């Protein structure tokens, strides 16, 4: 049974349509596979970056805590604030970064309604604790530089304990209390969270956004900037005074030499050196070296403060703008970026200590060396075995060398006797 021309055209059209349909299916499958590969690659890179930041924050701040506890030279009041700040940064890595990473990698909240409030509370709590630590450090450096004579009477161990207690206890008022009481957000958001427990979004009302950002960031940040500005002015003033005193002493010495009084001054200095009274230059040199050390510490902590502000400023700007502006929306990439740039500050502080502070750098080196010796007993045992083998080999070689010498000596002696006979 044959086909007419119309049926043949219909059959050709059907065949072409089938080919086009199959081609589109192949294209879609290829595009889907390509997108899946890109998604997996992006997820792998994201997991690597987040894991790297978490590990650096954990071990870097643990290194700070262990170094301060092990080395007596670092056990000063300022470094107790630094050690407490390192503990806060470690807890950020444990309880804030890990939960955030699970959301970013899985795409949903896995731990239920209650743990969402716990995570949000810990996140607000530790960020507030960190900046309050830096605020206390700036106040401590202010008294050490601007009022060095009164520093030890002002910054006592009792005041240190009171300040640390306030730093760790006061952020509860801005974190756990309003979040668990439901004051931080709107009623609509609370109803939404009950219906969708696998979504954990920290959506706040305008009043809480203004108060929490002011207490946690803006007010302490302004205090820190003011303190370090005064420290900078005082340090600059002290350097100019020291420079002027050195120039004046050099000019006076030159004037006395020109007028021929240097011999008398030499005799006078000799008499003063023979006297039993202590010389006034030693305390001056000690005070000068102490002031230099305090300025270096202030410089390091000023860099830490600048890094903290640079890391957390984008987050708090985003937080305030999106909370006050109802029509402002941000993508998931922007939200993840501002969060993890802020988290990166917890891993950055130990690197700043290691690069800018010589005492911390030496303490880190000693701590790591002791840890390597404690962790690697097998390596030490192998080294001891190799040393024993080398010692046995060297002893055997020395004995062979001595025997060869004795044999040669005896042979020479026999030859000499035979020649004489």
């Amino acid at each position: 049974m044959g086909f007419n021309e119309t049926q043949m055209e219909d059959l050709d059209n059907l065949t072409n349509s089938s080919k086009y349909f199959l081609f589109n299916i192949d294209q879609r499958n290829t595009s889907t596979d390509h997108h899946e590969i890109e998604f997996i690659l992006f997820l792998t890179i994201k997991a690597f970056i987040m894991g790297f930041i978490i590990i650096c924050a954990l071990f870097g701040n643990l290194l700070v805590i262990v170094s301060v506890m092990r080395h007596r030279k670092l056990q000063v009041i300022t470094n107790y604030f630094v050690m407490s700040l390192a503990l806060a940064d470690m807890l950020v890595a444990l309880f804030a970064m890990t939960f955030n990473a699970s959301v970013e990698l899985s795409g949903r909240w896995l731990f239920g309604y209650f743990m969402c409030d716990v995570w949000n509370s810990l996140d607000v709590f530790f960020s507030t604790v960190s900046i309050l630590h830096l605020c206390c450090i700036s106040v401590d450096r202010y008294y050490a530089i601007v009022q060095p004579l009164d520093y030890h009477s002002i910054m006592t161990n009792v005041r240190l304990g009171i300040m640390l207690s306030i730093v760790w206890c006061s952020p509860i008022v801005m974190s756990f209390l309003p979040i668990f009481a439901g004051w931080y957000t709107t009623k609509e958001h609370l109803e939404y969270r009950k219906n969708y427990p696998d979504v954990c979004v920290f959506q706040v009302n305008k009043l809480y956004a203004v108060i929490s950002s002011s207490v946690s960031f803006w007010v302490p940040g302004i205090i820190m900037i003011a303190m370090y500005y005064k420290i900078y002015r005082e340090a600059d003033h002290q350097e100019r005074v020291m420079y002027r005193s050195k120039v004046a002493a050099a000019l006076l010495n030159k004037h006395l030499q020109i007028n021929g009084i240097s011999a008398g001054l030499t005799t006078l200095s000799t008499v003063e050196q023979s006297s039993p009274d202590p010389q006034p230059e030693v305390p001056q040199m000690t005070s000068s070296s102490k002031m230099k050390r305090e300025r270096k510490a202030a410089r390091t902590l000023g860099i830490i403060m600048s890094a903290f502000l640079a890391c957390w400023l984008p987050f708090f700007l985003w937080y305030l703008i999106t909370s006050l502006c109802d029509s402002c929306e941000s993508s998931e990439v922007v939200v993840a970026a501002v969060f993890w740039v802020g988290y990166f500050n917890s891993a950055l502080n130990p690197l700043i200590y290691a690069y800018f502070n010589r005492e911390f750098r030496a303490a880190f080196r000693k701590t790591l060396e002791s840890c390597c010796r404690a962790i690697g007993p097998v390596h030490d045992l192998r080294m001891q075995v190799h040393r024993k083998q080398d010692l046995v080999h060297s002893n055997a070689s020395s004995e062979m060398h001595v025997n060869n010498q004795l044999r040669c000596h005896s042979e020479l002696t026999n030859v000499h006797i035979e020649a004489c006979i």
Side-chain angles (χ1 to χ4, degrees):
M1 182 178 176
F3 294 97
N4 55 25
E5 294 181 358
T6 305
Q7 289 175 340
M8 289 296 293
E9 290 179 358
D10 293 337
L11 184 60
D12 291 338
N13 292 332
L14 181 62
T15 304
N16 292 331
S17 299
S18 300
K19 291 180 180 179
Y20 181 73
F21 178 72
L22 293 174
F23 178 74
N24 284 338
I25 290 176
D26 292 337
Q27 288 292 104
R28 289 175 184 173
N29 290 334
T30 305
S31 178
T32 303
D33 294 338
H34 182 67
H35 285 302
E36 287 181 355
I37 293 172
E38 286 184 349
F39 177 75
I40 292 173
L41 181 61
F42 176 72
L43 203 64
T44 304
I45 295 173
K46 185 192 291 187
F48 175 77
I49 294 173
M50 292 177 180
F52 177 76
I53 293 175
I54 292 172
I55 291 173
C56 288
L58 283 174
F59 288 99
N61 289 289
L62 180 62
L63 183 62
V64 172
I65 295 172
V66 173
S67 298
V68 174
M69 293 178 64
R70 283 174 56 89
H71 298 87
R72 189 178 298 274
K73 195 174 182 180
L74 294 177
Q75 294 175 4
V76 295
I77 288 179
T78 304
N79 289 338
Y80 286 120
F81 285 116
V82 171
M83 185 172 65
S84 183
L85 174 62
L87 177 61
D89 288 335
M90 278 187 63
L91 296 177
V92 168
L94 284 174
F95 298 109
M97 295 187 197
T98 50
F99 284 121
N100 195 307
S102 68
V103 174
E104 293 294 333
L105 297 177
S106 65
R108 63 189 185 92
W109 180 249
L110 305 172
F111 306 100
Y113 185 92
F114 175 77
M115 287 304 297
C116 179
D117 286 338
V118 171
W119 173 44
N120 290 327
S121 300
L122 291 173
D123 207 347
V124 175
F125 177 80
F126 288 125
S127 62
T128 307
V129 166
S130 295
I131 196 167
L132 290 180
H133 271 98
L134 292 172
C135 190
C136 291
I137 289 172
S138 66
V139 173
D140 173 77
R141 291 297 88 200
Y142 171 79
Y143 285 112
I145 300 296
V146 178
Q147 299 182 17
L149 299 179
D150 300 328
Y151 174 74
H152 292 289
S153 61
I154 295 173
M155 296 302 297
T156 60
N157 292 329
V158 176
R159 285 194 174 91
L160 172 67
I162 293 173
M163 292 173 72
L164 289 177
S165 300
I166 293 173
V167 163
W168 281 100
C169 295
S170 60
I172 296 175
V173 180
M174 291 307 304
S175 56
F176 288 93
L177 181 61
I179 290 175
F180 277 93
W183 302 338
Y184 76 102
T185 188
T186 60
K187 294 180 179 180
E188 293 79 9
H189 182 65
L190 292 176
E191 291 296 328
Y192 176 81
R193 285 190 56 210
K194 290 179 181 178
N195 296 327
Y196 299 95
D198 59 340
V199 177
C200 184
V201 179
F202 191 59
Q203 183 176 343
V204 299
N205 54 41
K206 296 180 180 179
L207 180 63
Y208 180 81
V210 173
I211 295 175
S212 63
S213 61
S214 299
V215 173
S216 300
F217 184 79
W218 299 109
V219 174
I222 292 171
I223 293 174
M224 283 190 288
I225 292 172
M227 287 292 176
Y228 276 102
Y229 176 70
K230 292 182 179 180
I231 290 171
Y232 171 77
R233 289 187 59 185
E234 181 64 25
D236 183 65
H237 173 70
Q238 290 177 1
E239 287 182 358
R240 282 190 277 110
V241 169
M242 290 176 63
Y243 176 75
R244 289 174 182 173
S245 63
K246 289 180 180 178
V247 171
L251 291 175
L252 179 61
N253 189 20
K254 189 68 175 177
H255 175 73
L256 294 176
Q257 288 179 358
I258 291 173
N259 289 278
I261 316 177
S262 57
L265 286 177
T266 305
T267 306
L268 182 60
S269 62
T270 306
V271 173
E272 289 180 353
Q273 289 176 1
S274 62
S275 63
D277 296 333
Q279 297 295 321
E281 285 81 2
V282 176
Q284 290 176 1
M285 292 298 293
T286 305
S287 176
S288 176
S289 61
K290 184 178 179 180
M291 289 302 299
K292 289 181 180 179
R293 188 171 65 250
E294 296 289 351
R295 282 197 294 271
K296 288 181 180 179
R299 174 174 169 266
T300 303
L301 296 170
I303 295 170
I304 292 172
M305 184 205 70
S306 302
F308 183 89
L309 293 177
C311 289
W312 281 108
L313 184 61
F315 170 81
F316 279 97
L317 285 174
W318 166 85
Y319 174 70
L320 201 59
I321 291 171
T322 54
S323 300
L324 298 179
C325 179
D326 296 329
S327 61
C328 298
E329 295 182 359
S330 54
S331 64
E332 295 180 357
V333 177
V334 174
V335 175
V338 295
F339 265 94
W340 281 91
V341 168
Y343 289 152
F344 180 66
N345 178 254
S346 298
L348 195 59
N349 288 341
L351 299 177
I352 296 174
Y353 301 140
Y355 186 79
F356 290 101
N357 193 301
R358 183 181 301 173
E359 294 179 356
F360 266 105
R361 191 161 60 243
F364 287 171
R365 190 183 302 112
K366 292 179 182 178
T367 303
L368 290 174
E369 288 175 356
S370 61
C371 289
C372 291
R373 286 195 298 268
I375 293 173
V378 177
H379 178 71
D380 293 340
L381 182 61
R382 289 177 180 176
M383 291 295 294
Q384 292 177 4
V385 170
H386 286 307
R387 288 173 182 172
K388 288 181 179 179
Q389 291 177 353
D390 294 338
L391 182 62
V392 171
H393 181 71
S394 63
N395 290 335
S397 300
S398 61
E399 288 178 0
M400 291 176 62
H401 182 67
V402 171
N403 292 331
N404 290 331
Q405 285 184 345
L406 291 174
R407 190 181 300 111
C408 293
H409 180 71
S410 61
E411 290 177 355
L412 290 173
T413 306
N414 292 330
V415 170
H416 181 70
I417 293 172
E418 290 175 357
C420 295
I421 293 172

